[in-house]
Amino acid sequence: MLRLAGTAGAAAQAVELTPGPSRDSPVFSVKYTGSSKTETTYRATPPNPGGAADLNTAHDRGRASWAITFPGGLSVPSCAGEGQELCAALTGVAGARGKTSASADIDHDHVDGLYDQLDASSRCRLRSRAVPRKGLSARIDVVYDGTKDAFVVTARNPVSEALIMLPAACPDPVDGIDRILSNYATPGFSFAREWGADRWFSAEPVAIPAAAWHASSRIRLRFGPAVAARPPRDCAARFTYERCRTSGSWSGVLTFTAR
């Protein structure tokens, strides 16, 4: 088994190559597994004109997991001669099948600075429901870089459907009022819109030499969040009375196995 160094800037990345017979146009089965966890702590004291400030607190934790395959597989053409066009046309694999899940533990409190009767708490565990096991929107980008004679692999968000089907708030009616969000457990959470789950789950691209694809029986990549995908630790808080800290990690294993 051979190992390639990961691309600079990757948070967690390794490539393992298992040698196999040389083939001109190998076809690979594609499997992607992994899990993630996130945690956000929020505290805010929004002012009340003429009275004491409110106190809003949240401590939310999220988890997700996936074990998916891409039934169509990946066909890797030879890039020699006229094969350059075939390689340039390669985009990767999509249309996954398998198991995905997401959950969130919500723990919120609102202490009203003016009226005790408006104090409220919200605590629950949310789980994604009725997640489809086929036709998932997950994809793996595989594009040819002629300058390096290599195929660049980028894993994308594998749990889109699970996150969409995760209830956005606890079932009690008090959550989501008095300037506190319903859920701070979203992967890659930030108040700034340019962050979020899709960016959080985009791994650092990995370049694998074309020759390695044609001489390997298995290629295994270990992924973690790219440095540029991590949201600001302070959640890009919007107001001076807000304090927020977010953290998390994920790991994935992408395996290409020659058929």
Side-chain angles (χ1 to χ4, degrees):
M1 181 180 295
L2 304 177
R3 294 179 183 271
L4 298 180
T7 306
Q13 189 181 94
V15 181
E16 300 174 357
L17 307 176
T18 301
S22 179
R23 293 185 294 174
D24 289 336
S25 300
V27 178
F28 292 88
S29 298
V30 184
K31 181 179 181 180
Y32 190 28
T33 61
S35 62
S36 75
K37 59 181 180 180
T38 54
E39 183 172 359
T40 299
T41 300
Y42 174 80
R43 185 179 190 277
T45 53
N48 289 308
D54 294 343
L55 174 59
N56 294 330
T57 58
H59 184 196
D60 295 353
R61 292 167 292 176
R63 292 184 179 274
S65 64
W66 61 95
I68 59 178
T69 61
F70 296 83
L74 178 71
S75 178
V76 180
S78 171
C79 300
E82 295 180 358
Q84 287 276 351
E85 293 184 3
L86 294 175
C87 289
L90 192 65
T91 58
V93 293
R97 295 184 178 184
K99 296 180 180 180
T100 63
S101 67
S103 65
D105 290 311
I106 307 300
D107 186 352
H108 294 181
D109 284 295
H110 169 73
V111 179
D112 199 89
L114 298 179
Y115 307 106
D116 292 345
Q117 62 269 32
L118 295 181
D119 292 354
S121 297
S122 184
R123 293 176 178 81
C124 70
R125 170 166 288 185
L126 306 173
R127 296 181 184 275
S128 51
R129 300 173 182 172
V131 179
R133 294 194 175 189
K134 62 181 180 179
L136 300 171
S137 62
R139 78 177 199 268
I140 307 295
D141 294 342
V142 182
V143 296
Y144 181 64
D145 184 344
T147 64
K148 299 178 180 179
D149 191 26
F151 290 94
V152 181
V153 181
T154 307
R156 301 298 183 182
N157 184 354
V159 290
S160 293
E161 284 78 12
L163 293 174
I164 290 172
M165 295 182 181
L166 184 69
C170 290
D172 57 81
V174 300
D175 204 29
I177 63 172
D178 292 303
R179 293 177 284 188
I180 185 170
L181 298 181
S182 300
N183 186 336
Y184 296 85
T186 305
F189 173 79
S190 175
F191 289 107
R193 292 184 177 181
E194 62 265 29
W195 306 91
D198 286 345
R199 183 168 179 174
W200 170 243
F201 283 116
S202 290
E204 195 81 30
V206 182
I208 302 174
W213 294 88
H214 296 281
S216 298
S217 62
R218 187 179 70 180
I219 299 174
R220 175 176 289 176
L221 297 83
R222 298 184 184 276
F223 284 122
V227 174
R230 294 182 179 275
R233 284 187 60 81
D234 67 355
C235 315
R238 305 156 297 177
F239 305 107
T240 57
Y241 57 75
E242 291 180 315
R243 295 292 181 270
C244 185
R245 296 290 285 179
T246 189
S247 62
S249 63
W250 65 267
S251 61
V253 177
L254 177 61
T255 306
F256 299 90
T257 304
R259 293 178 175 174

